[in-house]
Amino acid sequence: METKDIKAFGTEAAEAPLKTLDIKRRAVQAHDVEIEILYCGICHSDLHSARNEWHGTMYPIVPGHEIVGRVTKVGDHVKNFKVGQLAGVGCMVDSCRECDHCKNDLEQYCDEGSILTFNSPDKHLGGHTFGGYSQSIVVDENYVLHISDKLDLAGVAPLLCAGITTYSPLKHWKVGPGQKVGIVGIGGLGHMGIKLAKAMGAHVVVFTTSISKFDAAKELGADEVVLSTDPAQMAKHAKSLNFILDCVSAEHNIDSYLNLLKVDGTLTLVGAPMEPLPVTSFSLLLGRRSFAGSAIGGIAETQEMLDFCAEHNITADIELIGVNEVNDAYERLLKGDIKYRFVIDMASLK
Ligand SMILES: [Zn+2]
Ligand SMILES: [Zn+2]
């Protein structure tokens, strides 16, 4: 297969800093869209993967799955994209398309495992897929999203992972007006959860371990903010929430949140703590409560989320950086020193 040489930013080893690399993209096939990448968000999973913290990283790795750019070429059979249009790519670039989940717009739960934007087997070129810290990407049009030109493009990039990761469970558990919804944690995910739950019409209660984040939570749209380390403040919300979106990736006390749910309430994890989380049976039994999880969203739902954000004027709060600042950004990410997402200006990759 014909290929095109492009520049990317990645690493050849877990211990090595990221640097400029040369990679190949496949030539545009009949159903493919080629996108010049303008912006790419930095997700925590980029860092975990680059450093092989979840194991199984194939090197060299080029991270990045919050991609926004402009279409530069389309294949002969492409129906929905034209050269010059804005386009986005999120966490997936393909899936089996035949299993029940793929047929029901749940490609993220594909029985074969969806093909992730980076570090998945590349069925076209062999080797593995390379992500969005790069000049361009070639993706089958079925896995490419339309992007509105109404919003700030750099702020749109994080919607492709952080946005859909929080939107999908809020929709699935039917969050809306008249409901009291808890958002736990104010980071890349949590700040999107607050904005989206608020736009869906819910009364939003934000839980944080830090008083210093109270003002920020209110600015993002929180109706109430609770210091989760204060049992008296927590007790005030006992048995009152319809739904809780838990965006925390560190160890924390799930029971103390389950007890804030009403009868039939659900707590859904979107953060990914590495250690098992203990749950007391009575926290679930007394109130028929559910403890659940959710991973990104399907392609159709991702488009729905992008359209919802365009309609409600929602983008991520970001800090725009050049590729040469990515290694420093990873260190700051580890310290939580970011409000709330780094986005790389890919024009800085030469
Ligand atoms: Zn991500
Ligand atoms: Zn499938």
Side-chain angles (χ1 to χ4, degrees):
M1 181 177 284
E2 265 185 73
T3 59
K4 182 171 172 183
D5 293 319
I6 63 155
K7 297 274 180 228
F9 203 72
T11 181
E12 285 159 343
E15 311 76 34
L18 280 70
K19 61 174 188 179
T20 302
L21 302 172
D22 295 305
I23 61 165
K24 291 185 190 306
R25 295 293 188 195
R26 68 177 183 266
V28 170
Q29 305 295 298
H31 297 277
D32 284 343
V33 174
E34 181 191 66
I35 301 164
E36 176 199 0
I37 300 176
L38 300 174
Y39 299 103
C40 185
I42 295 183
C43 172
H44 230 111
S45 56
D46 297 354
L47 186 156
H48 289 301
S49 302
R51 298 185 176 178
N52 199 23
E53 289 166 357
W54 289 341
H55 308 293
T57 297
M58 295 172 274
Y59 292 94
I61 176 176
V62 175
H65 58 203
E66 295 181 339
I67 299 167
V68 170
R70 202 172 281 284
V71 177
T72 44
K73 206 173 201 182
V74 295
D76 294 340
H77 294 166
V78 167
K79 293 192 187 81
N80 296 314
F81 290 89
K82 290 194 175 65
V83 171
Q85 285 182 332
L86 294 172
V89 178
C91 302
M92 295 179 284
V93 289
D94 210 342
S95 63
C96 87
R97 310 181 192 207
E98 283 169 4
C99 72
D100 285 348
H101 300 109
C102 283
K103 284 182 176 160
N104 287 294
D105 294 322
L106 293 168
E107 301 90 349
Q108 77 273 33
Y109 303 125
C110 174
D111 286 344
E112 308 281 310
S114 49
I115 304 295
L116 301 177
T117 304
F118 62 86
N119 234 250
S120 268
D122 183 336
K123 72 179 181 192
H124 299 275
L125 296 181
H128 55 272
T129 54
F130 294 119
Y133 298 6
S134 56
Q135 292 176 316
S136 65
I137 191 165
V138 176
V139 179
D140 184 293
E141 72 164 328
N142 288 316
Y143 297 80
V144 180
L145 289 311
H146 287 283
I147 302 289
S148 164
D149 56 11
K150 280 195 249 165
L151 298 174
D152 170 61
L153 283 186
V156 168
L159 301 180
L160 275 307
C161 175
I164 186 60
T165 297
T166 47
Y167 180 89
S168 182
L170 292 170
K171 282 294 287 211
H172 181 76
W173 277 278
K174 300 185 170 58
V175 162
Q179 292 193 355
K180 194 169 151 187
V181 169
I183 306 287
V184 186
I186 315 171
L189 291 173
H191 99 285
M192 287 311 310
I194 298 168
K195 291 185 186 204
L196 291 167
K198 189 71 194 163
M200 288 174 186
H203 179 89
V204 178
V205 185
V206 172
F207 297 88
T208 173
T209 53
S210 165
I211 284 180
S212 66
K213 291 192 174 169
F214 272 46
D215 288 345
K218 289 247 166 78
E219 277 166 32
L220 289 166
D223 295 292
E224 296 178 71
V225 191
V226 175
L227 186 65
S228 57
T229 51
D230 178 350
Q233 286 190 39
M234 291 291 275
K236 268 199 229 164
H237 294 272
K239 299 183 184 177
S240 72
L241 292 157
N242 299 87
F243 181 75
I244 298 175
L245 188 68
D246 187 334
C247 305
V248 175
S249 288
E251 208 180 321
H252 59 294
N253 185 342
I254 293 295
D255 267 345
S256 66
Y257 289 105
L258 287 172
N259 288 312
L260 305 185
L261 290 170
K262 285 184 167 184
V263 171
D264 286 333
T266 299
L267 183 151
T268 297
L269 286 185
V270 288
M274 293 307 282
E275 299 302 321
L277 298 163
V279 172
T280 308
S281 55
F282 284 106
S283 301
L284 295 170
L285 304 185
L286 301 177
R288 199 163 59 187
R289 294 163 175 143
S290 302
F291 179 33
S294 178
I296 51 173
I299 296 297
E301 192 174 50
T302 304
Q303 188 63 61
E304 178 189 304
M305 176 276 305
L306 289 165
D307 296 345
F308 179 88
C309 288
E311 187 187 327
H312 293 269
N313 204 22
I314 295 173
T315 54
D317 290 13
I318 65 145
E319 186 176 323
L320 192 63
I321 61 169
V323 278
N324 292 328
E325 295 165 272
V326 168
N327 288 302
D328 290 339
Y330 276 15
E331 294 310 313
R332 285 181 51 196
L333 195 57
L334 286 174
K335 288 185 237 156
D337 175 23
I338 171 66
K339 277 182 176 175
Y340 292 91
R341 208 64 151 178
F342 289 107
V343 172
I344 310 166
D345 180 352
M346 292 314 310
S348 63
L349 178 62
K350 304 274 193 246

